[in-house]
């Protein structure tokens, strides 16, 4: 049985330095959920804690795949395509 596909979006409120939380990260998270539903993509979209790239957020990771940094809503479809393969 294949593992469930997934995308993690950091919305961590890290203190003492730059962090992903903010409207941009929340907007990216909402866009992943909305577009996955609209496209009928069977993929888990979850919030995540710090990925260690705090100065380059919003940060996104495909489970078992690459990280993406400074993600915008314009990147969501491309990342969904990669995660769905
Ligand atoms: S707070 Fe998002 S990578 Fe650290």
């Amino acid at each position: 049985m294949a593992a469930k596909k997934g995308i993690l979006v950091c919305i961590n409120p890290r203190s003492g330095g730059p962090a992903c939380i903010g409207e941009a990260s929340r907007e990216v998270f909402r866009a992943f959920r909305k577009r996955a539903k609209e496209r009928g993509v069977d993929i888990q979209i979850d919030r995540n804690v710090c990925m260690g790239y705090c100065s380059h957020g919003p940060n996104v990771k495909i489970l078992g795949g690459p990280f993406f940094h400074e993600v915008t809503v314009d990147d969501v479809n491309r990342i969904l395509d990669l995660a769905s393969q």
Side-chain angles (χ1 to χ4, degrees):
M1 186 171 142
K4 177 82 173 173
K5 295 177 179 176
I7 291 173
L8 303 174
V9 180
C10 179
I11 57 166
N12 189 51
R14 178 177 173 269
S15 62
C20 290
I21 195 163
E23 188 51 38
S25 291
R26 286 191 288 266
E27 184 181 16
V28 165
F29 176 75
R30 287 192 296 263
F32 271 113
R33 286 239 166 130
K34 182 174 184 276
R35 293 195 184 160
K37 186 175 180 180
E38 288 170 351
R39 294 172 51 173
V41 176
D42 183 21
I43 192 163
Q44 185 83 26
I45 313 289
D46 287 321
R47 297 175 185 90
N48 198 60
V49 295
C50 185
M51 300 174 179
Y53 299 102
C54 315
S55 298
H56 304 287
N59 289 294
V60 172
K61 178 164 182 28
I62 295 175
L63 286 178
F67 287 96
F68 300 88
H69 310 294
E70 299 175 6
V71 174
T72 71
V73 169
D74 291 340
D75 300 316
V76 167
N77 280 325
R78 178 178 59 93
I79 296 171
L80 275 174
D81 289 342
L82 291 169
S84 304
Q85 294 174 353

